[in-house]
Amino acid sequence: MLGILKLGFVLTLATFCETANILYAIPYSVKSHYIMQRPVGLELARRGHNVTVITAHREIDHPPNYHQVIVVNKTIWDVLGRERPNLFTLVEYSAEQLHKEILWKGGLALTEGSLKSAEVQSLLAENRTFDLVISELFFQEATYALAHKYNAPLILISTMVNCMKHSLLTGNPLELATTSFEFLDASNPTSFWGRLRNLYLNVYDYFWWRYWFLEKQEELVRKYIPNLPQPVPSLYDLEKNASLLFLNSHFSFQSPVAFLPNIIEIGGIHLKESDSQLPADLQKLLDEATEGVVYVNFGSNVRSTELPIEKKNALINVFKRLNQTVLWKWEAESLDEKPDNVVVRKWMPQKEILSHPNIKVFLSHGGLIGTLEAVFHGVPIIGIPVYGDQYKNLIKAEEAGTGTTLLYHDINEENLERILHEFLKDDSYLKRAKELSRRFKDRPMSPLDTAMYWIEYVIRNKGADHIKSPSLKMNWITYNMLDVYGFIVIIFSLCSYVIYKIWELVSQCKFLVRIGFGHRKLKCL
Ligand SMILES: *[C@@H]1O[C@H](CO)[C@@H](O)[C@H](O)[C@H]1NC(C)=O
Ligand SMILES: *[C@@H]1O[C@H](CO)[C@@H](O)[C@H](O)[C@H]1NC(C)=O
Ligand SMILES: *[C@@H]1O[C@H](CO)[C@@H](O)[C@H](O)[C@H]1NC(C)=O
Ligand SMILES: *[C@@H]1O[C@H](CO)[C@@H](O)[C@H](O)[C@H]1NC(C)=O
Ligand SMILES: *[C@@H]1O[C@H](CO)[C@@H](O)[C@H](O)[C@H]1NC(C)=O
C-alpha cells in the first residue's frame, strides 16, 4: 500500500517535469567517487531525461537515452607521473601534505587529462545545448565553465561531507565547532586543539584554493573549453551561483547542522534494500557460515597485499584462531599460509556481502562509501584509517557506538585479537548498528528520489534562483552586520561620552557650591 502511494507520488512528480537535456560532468577517475555518483545519471535517464555523462567508467547496461563521453582513463598516479606508492605509507601524511602532493596536483592533472580527451573535445566542438549541468565538486572546478558555455544552471554533487569552504560559497552558516574540514586529522575534533586545527586547515585550504588552485583551473578553462560566451565569469562566481549542492552525508549518522534549502543531504544514495544478487559461490559460503563472518576490505584504492609482512602475519594469525569464517579482499592470486577459515578474493561485491545476515563485523579502512554501506546494512566496523576523511568517518561510528579505530601503527596480534573478540562476543555493537541502520533509512524519501526531486525542481524553476541565499548578493561587511554593530558601538560610545561629560559638569558645580562660590551666579544646580 505504502509502496503504491510512494510510486504514485514519484510518478506525479515526474509528470510535472518536462524531460531535459542534462550534462553530467563527473570525470574524476577514482572508483569510489563513481560508485556514489553513478545512480544519479542512470536514474535521470530512466526517468526520460537525455543524459550525457562525462566519465572514466563505462556502463554496459544503460537506458538508450544515457550517452557516455569517456575520458582518457588514468589513475591519479599516472597523471602525477609517479609510481603508485604503497598507500599504507599515506598514514604518515599530514592533511597539508595530502593536499600539496596529491590532491591539488592530481586534481589539476586529472582535470586537464579529462578536458583534453578526444571525446570531450569533440563534444565541446559540437553545437549542443543543455538545460542543466551537474558537476562533481572535487578538485575539478574547470567543469563549472560548462554551465556558462551552455547558459545552463549548475548543480554540484560532492562525494564528501560539508566543510567551511562550501558554507562560505553557498552563504550557509559556518558552524565551525560542529562542521569539520573534510580531511581533518585530529583525534578529537571538538576539543580545543581539534577545533584550532580545524580552523587552521579550513583557512589554509581556502586561501590556497581561492588564490592559487582556482587560477590554475581557470587556465585549463581557457586552454580546453572553446566558444565560451564573453565575458567569462570566474570559477569562484560560477560556484557561488550553483543552484544546489548535494552532500554525501545524513544527520542520522553525521552531526545535525543547519543547511540552507539548496544544500541537500543524500548520504546512502548508492544503496538499496534489494541490491543485486551475490554470486552463487559467495552466497553459499555466507549462508553456510553459521558461526558468522568477519569481512575484511580496505576499499577500492588501498590494497591488503601492501601490508608489511609483520602486520600481514598478525592478521593471519588472529584470523586463524577465530571460529568465524573470514572473507578478505586480497588482491593477489593466492595468500601463502592461508588458514582454512579464510577465503580470499581479488574483488568483493561489498554492498551485497554487507547485506548478508551472517556478517558479524567489517574490518575496514573507514572510507566514506564503505562506512555508509556498513551503516545502511547495520554492520559494526573496526576501522584502520589510512588517509583523508577516514579518521573522521570512524570517529562518527565510534560516537554511534557501532565502531572503533585501530591505528595502523598499533596493528599487532594482541590488539587485533582483543578488539575482534570484543566485537564478536559483545552483541551490543551489532544491536546499535541495527538501530543506526533503521534510523539512517528512516526518511520521507529515499536519497535517490530526494536527489531526483531537487534536480527536477531546478529544471522546473529554471535554475531556482529563489533558493539561493540572499547573503550571496551582500558584501562581507553587510552579511556580517558589521555596519550595524559599528553604528551601535558608535552611538553607545557617544551617549556614554555625553553622560560622562554631564556628570563631570555636575560634579564640578557641586564642588564650586561646596567651596562657597555664589550659587546664584552658577545656575547649574
Ligand atoms: C541527447 O543527447 C545525445 C548525446 O549527447 C545527442 O546526440 C542527442 O541529440 C540528444 N537528444 C535530444 C533530443 O536532445
Ligand atoms: C578505468 O579504469 C578503472 C580502474 O582503473 C576501471 O574500473 C574502469 O572501468 C575503467 N574505465 C573504462 C572506461 O575503461
Ligand atoms: C552553431 O550554431 C550557430 C548559431 O546557432 C550557427 O551560426 C553555426 O553555424 C552552427 N555551427 C555548426 C557547426 O553547426
Ligand atoms: C570457538 O568455539 C569453541 C566451541 O564452541 C569455544 O569453546 C571457543 O571459545 C570459541 N573460540 C573463540 C575464539 O570464540
Ligand atoms: C546564475 O545562475 C542563473 C541560473 O541558475 C543564471 O540565470 C544567472 O545568469 C547566473 N548568474 C551568473 C552571474 O552567472
Side-chain angles (χ1 to χ4, degrees), residues 233-380:
S234 67
L235 292 175
Y236 177 74
D237 285 336
L238 282 171
E239 181 163 345
K240 273 177 80 172
N241 193 34
S243 299
L244 294 179
L245 168 60
F246 288 120
L247 296 174
N248 194 12
S249 60
H250 191 255
F251 62 82
S252 57
F253 175 54
Q254 285 106 345
S255 306
V257 284
F259 283 130
L260 286 163
N262 64 342
I263 303 181
I264 320 279
E265 292 195 296
I266 54 168
I269 189 164
H270 68 295
L271 295 162
K272 280 201 290 275
E273 205 64 70
S274 56
D275 268 318
S276 53
Q277 291 282 305
L278 274 166
D281 60 333
L282 281 177
Q283 182 76 47
K284 182 160 179 288
L285 189 138
L286 286 167
D287 287 346
E288 284 171 0
T290 43
E291 288 284 325
V293 176
V294 173
Y295 172 55
V296 188
N297 188 336
F298 298 114
S300 51
N301 285 323
V302 179
R303 297 179 189 156
S304 307
T305 42
E306 289 174 340
L307 277 168
I309 184 83
E310 76 284 358
K311 297 205 184 327
K312 182 187 107 176
N313 286 341
L315 261 64
I316 292 177
N317 290 338
V318 172
F319 293 163
K320 183 163 66 188
R321 294 193 288 268
L322 290 175
N323 288 339
Q324 284 77 16
T325 302
V326 176
L327 194 54
W328 189 358
K329 176 175 158 269
W330 179 260
E331 301 81 3
E333 289 310 324
S334 63
L335 169 63
D336 296 338
E337 295 166 61
K338 185 181 79 60
D340 289 338
N341 64 332
V342 174
V343 177
V344 294
R345 290 276 192 289
K346 279 180 166 175
W347 177 253
M348 299 275 185
Q350 177 156 294
K351 295 180 289 190
E352 292 76 14
I353 290 174
L354 287 172
S355 73
H356 197 283
N358 284 347
I359 299 288
K360 293 287 175 253
V361 64
F362 178 20
L363 187 58
S364 157
H365 68 320
L368 186 53
I369 297 289
T371 303
L372 292 181
E373 286 167 355
V375 168
F376 186 90
H377 290 299
V379 177

Side-chain angles (χ1 to χ4, degrees), residues 426-498:
D426 177 357
D427 68 354
S428 68
Y429 290 99
L430 193 62
K431 282 191 184 138
R432 284 190 293 266
K434 294 294 171 209
E435 179 57 24
L436 176 62
S437 156
R438 196 196 52 70
R439 71 178 197 233
F440 186 70
K441 295 178 202 163
D442 191 348
R443 312 186 197 186
M445 267 198 276
S446 76
L448 190 56
D449 285 338
T450 307
M452 292 303 123
Y453 173 82
W454 284 104
I455 291 171
E456 293 181 343
Y457 181 92
V458 167
I459 297 169
R460 280 194 296 279
N461 290 285
K462 316 258 177 302
D465 279 336
H466 62 277
I467 51 169
K468 298 176 189 170
S469 169
S471 68
L472 295 176
K473 298 204 185 86
M474 296 173 175
N475 63 38
W476 187 75
I477 291 179
T478 322
Y479 175 60
N480 288 294
M481 295 278 290
L482 296 184
D483 48 351
V484 173
Y485 298 150
F487 176 77
I488 293 174
V489 167
I490 290 169
I491 294 293
F492 183 78
S493 322
L494 272 179
C495 289
S496 312
Y497 182 73
V498 170

Side-chain angles (χ1 to χ4, degrees), residues 33 37 74 81 86 102 111 169 211 234 257 267 271 281 345 377 392 398 403 417 419 458 482:
H33 288 234
Q37 295 170 327
K74 288 201 167 151
N86 177 334
I102 298 174
T111 312
L169 283 155
Y211 300 106
S234 67
V257 284
L271 295 162
D281 60 333
R345 290 276 192 289
H377 290 299
K392 232 177 96 169
E398 239 163 274
E417 185 145 50
I419 296 178
V458 167
L482 296 184

Side-chain angles (χ1 to χ4, degrees), residues 138-156:
F138 197 76
F139 300 94
Q140 49 191 12
E141 287 79 351
T143 56
Y144 306 164
L146 298 173
H148 177 69
K149 178 175 167 74
Y150 298 112
N151 189 22
L154 174 68
I155 289 178
L156 301 175

Side-chain angles (χ1 to χ4, degrees), residues 31 56-58 70 73 75:
K31 187 160 186 161
H57 301 268
R58 191 184 295 282
I70 303 287
N73 199 14
T75 67

